[in-house]
Amino acid sequence: MMNWLNKHSLAFRLSITIIACVCLVFFVLIYFISGRVEKIIHAQINHTAQEAVNAYAGDFNRLTSDVEQIVTNTKNTLSQTRENDVSSLEVVLNSAIQTVENSDLNFTEAWVYTFPAEDVSTGTFYISKYLKNGKIDFSSKKISNFYEAFPWFKEVPKKEKIYWSEPYIDVDTGKAVVTCLIPFKFKDEIDFNGLAALTVDLSTIQKSINNFSFYETGKLLLLSRSGLYVTHPDNNIALKMTIFELSKKINLPELETAGKKMFAGETGNIWIPHSSVYNGPVIFFYTPIKKIGWGLCLVYAQSVLLKPIQRFQIIMTIGLLVGILTLLFIINQICKHSTNQLLQLSKLAEKYGRGDFSESFKETPFSSDIRILAKALSNMRTNILDYTEKERKDAADKQKSQSELEIARNIQKASLSTKYPQHEAFKIATMMIPAREVGGDFYDFFFIDQNHFAVVMADVSGKGIPAALYMMKSQTLIRNISKNNIDIADVFYRVNNELCEGNDTCMFVTVFMAVVDLLKGDVQYVNAGHTPPMLKTQNGYDFMSPKKNLILGISRNTTFAVEKIKLNIGDHLFLYTDGVTEAENAKAKFYGTDRLKKILQKATDDPETNLNLVLSGIKKFVKENAQSDDITMLDFAYLGSSEGRLSLPADNKNLSKMIDFLKTDMAKHCVPQKKQFNVIVAAEEIFSNIANYAYQKDGTVEILTYVHDNIYYVRFSDSGKKYNPLEHKDPDVTLDLKDRKIGGLGIFLAKKLSDTISYSYEKKKNILTIGVHLL
């Protein structure tokens, strides 16, 4: 759309813009007015429809009141006569028929049923009704089973109260009728022994309701007390189905809700997506006929309701189109006259945008606004020409510097070790993220000989190319001087003197270097002013406390203190620069050593995973704040020699394999003969306990041996159920065999035969470790 507009003149674009704004205003007005009109129409029809339903219900209540009054009067008169006074019965019933002759309702008959108080089902039926010739016929007949003739009578309460039956089909006339009756007592009677009733013909009411029309499509429905449709356009529903049955049949729960509210005495309306009267959406008005507990509903099609709104919208739209076309013509003429010079300035600005500054605006502007614009365009041309010349010179200088910086960055990147050695005794991972394109941090790792591996972490003062050059010099000196020389005190002494030579810029470097004996786990290290590294043992990660040595490159002939630690299998050495702990967030707060220590408690056995874990923590802390220093990390995991490891299925059949492994391993580590016997016996008991009790099904036992502080250790680990054998009380070996409890003797022997024994539960594994002194 925008591309299409840009191809046309400024006048055309202004015209379209103005017309679009006018159209938007008109559409908003139409939308607002339509909404208001729709609400008004809805409210008006709702009000009118509800009043119509209520009025119809009021008329029905009045008619039923008339019927009830006649029945009540008949009852009151008969209560003063005796049951065997047939002539009085005839007079009363004929009088009732004559009373209702001019009523709006059609009455088929007035009748009295007399019965013995002890048996309501048998009695005499007296009836008066009009004949076709206008005369009144009075007759009587004996009834042997009143319930068979009038099944609904079972629901009539046996008390002096008006009762309306459910609609039913009269046997004689075949018409739908409803009966209004009241039990009574004849004169001098103690119990009820008579019924006075009027039977109403519903055909006139049905016809009246079926012919009712509201706003062309509104249909009126009459429902009995049970929800039965007395009237309905569909003959398969009228007098055959209740509103609740229809609701389930056509899957319309809203209909059931309306029915329940109506028979609960509520008046209202509800929108329904479809109905049995119309296919489309309808509005359903309902009100109760409280006098007899019936209900009256008005169903109105929504489509007819919206016709006035649609007509209004069509008229508004036509008027809008005519107005838009007229405005378009007028506005286009005005815009063309006003924008000629603007178009010239626009074309000139377009040339300037392409870099063509050969022309300038020469006409005399006839508008103050255009005069300002023309002057600004002229000044812009002059400024751009001056700025372009300056930028050309700056770009040439910057390109030269950028090329030098890119070369330095590539050299630095190439100098860092990225290919990790594959060795059974350790795993290593590194990470470096410079704050600029060229950083001052560096790490290194390399073999000094077959069994000694060095790791280095350093931080050069400053940033940029000078720091990168000093970094590469330091790295090269450390690697070359360390070659075939495991005396790292001498390495630091010689590297420091080399860095001091010709150091006119007074640059320096902090360095931590460690040399690991891959067979024994012994570590020698020197820390020359670098941040203290972290050591991970069974107790988790914690900071080391190395002796303070002078940084490299400051003072010649400086000596450096060498320290030693021992790495056990699974221990990690975590090295880093201050870019990690001094990473800042937007509030100028450092990441700090506490956060570093805390996040490393979640570390795994995989070094690369651990580095990503720390980096993720730093990024979460600093968020969008710019990185202020290089971030460099190295994680070294000591795995030890595979000669001290054995994995066996947890089965007593493998005891001999474990014993052979331990004998060979203890001989290699010069374990005394007596101690070897103790280890074998204790190991047999521990292995048997794991094989018998740790697993419900198949499992494995991991056996690890190592020496630390002149103690030979054997560590058993299994993934069976959690169980600490050291928590149980030792058995009383002073008792007779028959009095001792079963179990516990194996672990007791292991305790007695070992110089040290411990249990821990780590990473869902039981770990039991025994140890014997080598001396």
Side-chain angles (χ1 to χ4, degrees), residues 264-306:
E266 296 182 28
T267 296
N269 62 76
I270 186 172
W271 287 92
I272 299 179
H274 62 276
S275 74
S276 58
V277 179
Y278 300 107
N279 292 328
V282 300
I283 183 169
F284 192 87
F285 299 89
Y286 55 87
T287 189
I289 302 174
K290 296 182 179 179
K291 194 71 178 177
I292 59 174
W294 287 22
L296 201 61
C297 305
L298 175 62
V299 184
Y300 188 70
Q302 182 182 351
S303 59
V304 178
L305 177 68
L306 299 178

Side-chain angles (χ1 to χ4, degrees), residues 187-300:
K187 185 176 182 180
D188 299 330
E189 296 293 332
I190 298 175
D191 297 319
F192 289 108
N193 63 338
L195 295 175
L198 280 176
T199 300
V200 180
D201 184 357
L202 293 176
S203 59
T204 302
I205 296 175
Q206 289 174 314
K207 183 177 180 181
S208 173
I209 291 177
N210 286 333
N211 291 335
F212 176 85
S213 178
F214 179 76
Y215 277 84
E216 300 180 17
T217 62
K219 293 295 182 182
L220 203 60
L221 307 177
L222 180 64
L223 290 87
S224 71
R225 184 173 57 252
S226 66
L228 181 70
Y229 281 102
V230 179
T231 63
H232 195 283
D234 190 343
N235 293 330
N236 294 321
I237 296 176
L239 295 173
K240 297 177 183 178
M241 191 176 297
T242 68
I243 188 173
F244 306 109
E245 293 171 339
L246 182 62
S247 170
K248 293 179 180 179
K249 181 178 179 181
I250 63 178
N251 191 24
L252 201 63
E254 295 89 349
L255 193 61
E256 181 180 0
T257 301
K260 289 181 178 178
K261 288 184 177 181
M262 178 172 62
F263 291 116
E266 296 182 28
T267 296
N269 62 76
I270 186 172
W271 287 92
I272 299 179
H274 62 276
S275 74
S276 58
V277 179
Y278 300 107
N279 292 328
V282 300
I283 183 169
F284 192 87
F285 299 89
Y286 55 87
T287 189
I289 302 174
K290 296 182 179 179
K291 194 71 178 177
I292 59 174
W294 287 22
L296 201 61
C297 305
L298 175 62
V299 184
Y300 188 70

Side-chain angles (χ1 to χ4, degrees), residues 646-651 687 690-691 695 699-703 716-718:
L646 180 67
S647 178
L648 292 172
D651 191 327
F687 189 91
I690 297 173
Y695 297 97
T700 59
V701 182
E702 302 289 337
I703 301 170
F716 298 84
S717 63
D718 66 85

Side-chain angles (χ1 to χ4, degrees), residues 5 11 74 76 170 247 256 314 341 386 396 439 443 482 568 571 592 595 610 716 724:
L5 279 176
T74 303
N76 292 336
D170 185 82
S247 170
E256 181 180 0
I314 292 171
Q341 286 192 333
D386 294 342
Y443 63 82
S482 298
N568 294 319
D571 289 353
R595 289 187 178 85
N610 296 343
F716 298 84
N724 183 1

Side-chain angles (χ1 to χ4, degrees), residues 656-726:
S656 58
K657 294 180 181 179
M658 178 198 69
I659 293 171
D660 291 341
F661 163 77
L662 290 178
K663 286 180 178 179
T664 302
D665 191 75
M666 287 188 290
K668 182 181 71 174
H669 289 92
C670 301
V671 179
Q673 198 66 35
K674 181 180 178 180
K675 298 289 185 178
Q676 289 189 28
F677 173 80
N678 292 350
V679 171
I680 293 297
V681 174
E684 286 181 329
E685 295 297 338
I686 295 171
F687 189 91
S688 297
N689 276 348
I690 297 173
N692 294 331
Y693 305 112
Y695 297 97
Q696 292 182 349
K697 294 183 179 180
D698 297 338
T700 59
V701 182
E702 302 289 337
I703 301 170
L704 175 69
T705 64
Y706 60 94
V707 176
H708 184 64
D709 290 342
N710 289 319
I711 298 178
Y712 177 81
Y713 290 95
V714 181
R715 188 178 77 169
F716 298 84
S717 63
D718 66 85
S719 301
K721 61 183 180 181
K722 184 178 180 180
Y723 176 71
N724 183 1
L726 305 184

Side-chain angles (χ1 to χ4, degrees), residues 137-179:
D137 177 57
F138 176 79
S139 61
S140 64
K141 61 180 177 180
K142 295 290 183 179
I143 299 294
S144 60
N145 190 342
F146 188 76
Y147 291 124
E148 183 177 347
F150 299 97
W152 48 264
F153 183 66
K154 295 179 181 179
E155 301 178 9
V156 178
K158 303 303 184 289
K159 55 185 177 180
E160 196 170 304
K161 183 179 179 182
I162 290 289
Y163 177 80
W164 286 86
S165 72
E166 282 289 294
Y168 63 95
I169 303 300
D170 185 82
V171 177
D172 296 330
T173 64
K175 296 180 179 180
V177 297
V178 62
T179 298

